[in-house]
């Protein structure tokens, strides 16, 4: 579990089983685009445009050209003031993907005066479409062309759907974008822009999904680039900027998240069968107020149930992996640390294989996915090997299926959210070597990409607990049915969405684990005040 900037946002109402969408499409593989002309607005060039062109240019067989426009751009003038103020208050690094850039930074790219055979025009400007260029892809967010769609989503506290559309308006590629913070607009804006780059690069490289996993279609483009569904960003942002900043400052300075783990004895159907909270509710795993517990993973072994958690000590400011044994009447004592590194640790994915117990804890700061082996269970963990190197990965989760091991993780490449981009690897042995899926990223969806626990087989189906982060990190728990898992593709369908409520008071519902007749979840209670400093 990551810590995020600012406070927390309450998820939207609603839950239960979602309607099935049998028309959900599996991501298609299309030819790689070799010739790209990127249409940019000279007056609203930003850092993300330069980063996008750098990534597109990494293919030696691709030719990139630039066509300039001179329109006014879609963001209101005071947006830059907001970004500068938030960067100063929260210590955010600049320049970044949202920072204004000068066209001279792209002087090395060839101008694109005319169309060429096999060319795709990637139009990232807000200027009227060029009728001379038929093969044009245009970008919009929630149906709004240009970056104004992202600003509208931030004010509306929703996860935007990014769509690349062809000349007929039909989507070429779509993804639901995520942000780790919904309380600092600059941080969220840059998360969204980073994942937009991922979407565009994947589409030009041939990986294109035209619908979201739940069957949702990308919103249609409105008639005007500035038609923001009644939001009126240009006027309302100017009038409400001070109030928005003050609310975010208050949330950041006076509140902190209060995560907790809940448990219950299973005397009937579990959460996957119930698809709702149990009638008896949950019992809190107690803490002393100086730390919290999160990311529960339970394992049954030798007649005992051991619960592993992330233990986060407020004074030390980092997480360690702790464990506690459960008997028939509940926890036997308090969780005690069993694995600690210099970096923050969380999501202790524990599993048994080859007669031994193994763990893959999350430590994205290391840039690796690592395997540990227990020498004196539940203590005595030794580093066995690096499974995947050079990757900022969250919540790595293993599955043995079809005679092959599969590794699921959300990957943060080039900035952006930790929660919206799913990558897969496969191997014949869980120790590796691990082969990246050739369709990576197989999913861009902040509502269902990130893992929320171990994948469970139920009635011949694979049910994958997922985090629904559309309302912020860990806002709700989803249960997704895996429809396809092979070397050629991946698809899933979210069937159920569970939220906090009377049986689990708070603002977050984050994880699910079960073993040996116990079931565990985690999330947050209502925030407690804290003093400045």
């Amino acid at each position: 579990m990551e810590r995020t900037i600012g406070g927390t946002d309450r998820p939207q109402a609603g839950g239960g089983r979602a309607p099935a969408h049998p028309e959900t499409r599996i991501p298609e593989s299309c030819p790689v685009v070799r010739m790209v002309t990127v249409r940019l607005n000279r007056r609203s060039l930003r850092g993300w445009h330069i980063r996008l062109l750098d990534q597109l240019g990494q293919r030696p067989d691709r030719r990139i050209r630039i066509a300039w426009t001179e329109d006014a751009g879609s963001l209101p003038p005071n947006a830059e003031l907001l970004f500068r103020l938030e960067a100063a208050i929260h210590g955010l690094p600049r320049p970044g993907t949202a920072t204004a850039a000068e066209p001279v930074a792209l002087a090395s790219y060839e101008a694109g005066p005319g169309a060429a055979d096999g060319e795709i025009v990637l139009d990232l400007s807000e200027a009227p479409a060029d009728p001379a260029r038929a093969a044009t892809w245009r970008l919009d967010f929630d149906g709004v062309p240009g970056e104004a769609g992202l600003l509208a989503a931030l004010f509306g506290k929703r996860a935007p759907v990014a769509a690349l559309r062809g000349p007929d308006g039909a989507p070429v590629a779509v993804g639901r974008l995520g942000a780790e913070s919904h309380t600092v607009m600059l941080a969220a804006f840059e998360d969204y822009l980073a994942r937009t780059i991922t979407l565009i690069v994947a589409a030009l490289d041939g990986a294109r999904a035209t619908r979201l996993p739940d069957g949702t279609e990308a919103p249609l483009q409105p008639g005007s680039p500035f038609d923001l569904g009644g939001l009126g960003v240009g006027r309302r942002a100017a009038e409400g900027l001070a109030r928005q900043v003050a609310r975010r400052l208050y949330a950041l300075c006076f509140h902190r998240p209060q995560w907790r783990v809940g448990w219950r004895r299973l005397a009937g159907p579990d959460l996957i069968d119930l698809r709702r909270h149990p009638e008896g509710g949950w019992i809190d795993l107690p803490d002393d107020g100086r730390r919290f517990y999160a990311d529960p993973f339970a394992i049954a072994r030798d007649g005992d149930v051991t619960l592993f958690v992330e233990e986060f000590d407020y004074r030390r400011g980092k997480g360690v992996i702790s464990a506690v044994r459960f008997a028939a009447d509940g926890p036997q004592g308090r969780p005690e640390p069993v694995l600690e590194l210099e970096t923050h640790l969380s999501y202790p994915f524990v599993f048994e294989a080859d007669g031994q117990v193994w763990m893959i804890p999350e430590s994205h700061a290391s840039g690796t996915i690592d395997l540990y082996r227990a020498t004196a269970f539940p203590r005595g963990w030794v580093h066995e090997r690096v499974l995947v190197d050079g990757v900022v990965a969250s919540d790595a989760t293993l599955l043995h299926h079809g005679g092959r091991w599969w590794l699921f993780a959300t990957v943060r490449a080039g900035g952006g959210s930790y929660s919206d981009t799913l990558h897969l690897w496969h191997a014949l042995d869980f120790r590796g070597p691990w082969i990246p899926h050739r369709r990576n990223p197989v999913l861009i969806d902040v509502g269902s990409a990130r893992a929320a626990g171990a994948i469970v087989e139920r009635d011949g189906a694979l049910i994958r607990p997922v985090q629904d982060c559309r309302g912020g990190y860990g806002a709700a728990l989803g249960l997704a049915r895996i429809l396809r898992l092979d070397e050629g593709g991946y698809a899933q369908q979210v069937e159920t969405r569970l939220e906090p409520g009377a049986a689990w008071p708070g603002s977050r519902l984050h994880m699910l684990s079960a073993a040996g007749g116990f079931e565990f979840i985690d999330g947050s209670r209502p925030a407690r005040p804290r003093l400045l400093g």
Side-chain angles (χ1 to χ4, degrees):
M1 189 180 84
E2 279 89 29
R3 247 52 50 207
T4 59
I5 301 171
T8 56
D9 300 314
R10 188 171 296 277
Q12 300 173 357
R17 187 181 297 272
H21 295 277
E23 74 277 10
T24 300
R25 300 181 187 178
I26 294 171
E28 300 172 357
S29 177
C30 303
V32 174
V33 178
R34 307 293 182 184
M35 169 73 80
V36 184
T37 293
V38 183
R39 198 169 184 231
L40 294 170
N41 180 355
R42 192 184 300 270
R43 297 167 61 184
S44 60
L45 188 67
R46 296 187 183 276
W48 79 275
H49 297 122
I50 297 173
R51 185 178 296 180
L52 169 65
L53 289 166
D54 287 344
Q55 292 198 24
L56 292 178
Q58 290 179 5
R59 291 189 70 102
D61 57 347
R62 176 178 285 146
R63 185 179 175 189
I64 303 171
R65 306 191 299 178
I66 294 178
W68 294 105
T69 69
E70 299 284 349
D71 50 298
S74 64
L75 282 185
N78 57 7
E80 179 61 23
L81 174 61
L82 171 61
F83 294 157
R84 288 181 182 180
L85 186 58
E86 288 189 326
I89 292 170
H90 300 286
L92 301 179
R94 298 207 90 187
T97 52
T99 306
E102 294 295 333
V104 69
L106 301 177
S108 61
Y109 288 93
E110 175 188 0
D117 292 339
E119 174 196 42
I120 288 292
V121 176
L122 177 62
D123 195 342
L124 303 180
S125 72
E126 292 82 42
D130 185 349
R133 299 178 183 271
T136 296
W137 293 356
R138 303 200 76 181
L139 176 68
D140 64 65
F141 302 95
D142 288 348
V144 180
E147 296 162 349
L150 287 186
L151 194 61
L154 286 172
F155 277 113
K157 296 184 178 180
R158 62 180 183 272
V161 174
L164 281 173
R165 300 183 190 274
D168 59 354
V172 175
V174 299
R176 183 184 286 125
L177 311 182
E180 294 303 296
S181 169
H182 280 201
T183 60
V184 181
M185 284 195 171
L186 174 58
F189 196 77
E190 295 206 332
D191 282 354
Y192 291 151
L193 292 176
R195 200 56 64 236
T196 299
I197 294 172
T198 305
L199 178 72
I200 293 173
V201 172
L204 291 171
D205 284 348
R208 304 170 196 166
T210 57
R211 293 187 183 215
L212 296 173
D214 60 3
T216 301
E217 295 185 2
L220 295 176
Q221 293 190 48
S224 165
F226 300 97
D227 177 11
L228 301 181
L231 183 63
V233 166
R235 176 175 58 84
R236 293 192 184 183
E239 296 174 353
L241 177 58
R243 291 193 298 272
Q244 294 285 348
V245 172
R247 289 172 187 154
R248 285 164 174 76
L249 279 172
Y250 184 87
L252 176 63
C253 296
F254 289 96
H255 291 83
R256 68 182 178 190
Q258 295 292 313
W259 287 83
R260 72 195 197 277
V261 169
W263 66 274
R264 71 180 184 114
R265 287 282 305 182
L266 282 174
D270 62 8
L271 211 61
I272 292 177
D273 286 336
L274 285 174
R275 303 298 173 112
R276 57 175 173 79
H277 285 286
E279 296 294 337
W282 304 86
I283 303 171
D284 282 1
L285 183 67
D287 61 61
D288 58 10
R290 296 190 293 270
R291 70 200 75 240
F292 67 72
Y293 304 120
D295 293 358
F297 269 93
I299 184 171
R301 190 167 186 267
D302 298 332
D304 283 336
V305 173
T306 302
L307 177 68
F308 291 83
V309 294
E310 171 201 339
E311 177 181 329
F312 187 89
D313 189 318
Y314 292 118
R315 295 167 298 181
R316 303 177 65 186
K318 75 170 187 176
V320 302
I321 304 303
S322 294
V324 60
R325 188 176 69 86
F326 268 68
D329 57 347
Q332 304 301 291
R334 53 157 286 175
E336 297 292 340
V338 297
L339 178 61
E340 180 175 358
L341 302 178
E342 292 183 0
T343 57
H344 172 82
L345 294 177
S346 61
Y347 199 85
F349 183 85
V350 182
F351 66 103
E352 194 166 6
D354 292 350
Q356 298 189 76
V357 182
W358 310 81
M359 182 196 300
I360 305 177
E362 178 191 310
S363 179
H364 61 77
S366 67
T368 57
I369 301 176
D370 297 279
L371 178 68
Y372 288 79
R373 177 171 52 87
T375 58
F377 183 86
R379 296 177 176 273
W381 296 91
V382 296
H383 185 267
E384 188 74 11
R385 66 180 60 191
V386 174
L387 300 181
V388 182
D389 195 6
V391 62
V392 180
S394 297
D395 300 352
T397 303
L398 288 189
L399 171 68
H400 190 238
H401 173 69
R404 183 176 294 271
W405 287 87
W406 295 90
L407 175 60
F408 294 67
T410 48
V411 172
R412 186 178 191 245
S417 173
Y418 291 90
S419 306
D420 62 0
T421 307
L422 178 62
H423 284 233
L424 297 179
W425 295 262
H426 55 88
L428 295 177
D429 187 272
F430 65 90
R431 302 172 186 85
W434 288 94
I435 303 170
H437 199 286
R438 60 193 180 98
R439 297 285 180 257
N440 281 339
V442 297
L443 176 62
I444 300 177
D445 179 28
V446 73
S448 65
R450 189 164 182 168
I455 298 168
V456 178
E457 185 172 356
R458 189 61 49 90
D459 299 327
L462 293 176
I463 305 299
R464 178 176 179 249
V466 297
Q467 296 182 41
D468 188 337
C469 300
R470 286 176 291 179
Y473 172 73
L477 173 68
L479 298 176
R481 183 183 298 266
I482 295 178
L483 304 177
R484 177 180 179 180
L485 177 60
D486 54 48
E487 294 180 51
Y490 175 79
Q492 66 179 35
Q493 176 181 310
V494 177
E495 297 181 329
T496 300
R497 185 176 188 270
L498 298 171
E499 298 178 317
W504 181 249
S507 59
R508 293 289 183 267
L509 178 59
H510 174 247
M511 286 272 299
L512 174 64
S513 179
F518 288 93
E519 192 170 44
F520 304 89
I521 62 173
D522 80 329
S524 64
R525 62 172 64 92
R528 294 175 179 172
R530 66 178 174 186
L531 296 177
L532 285 171

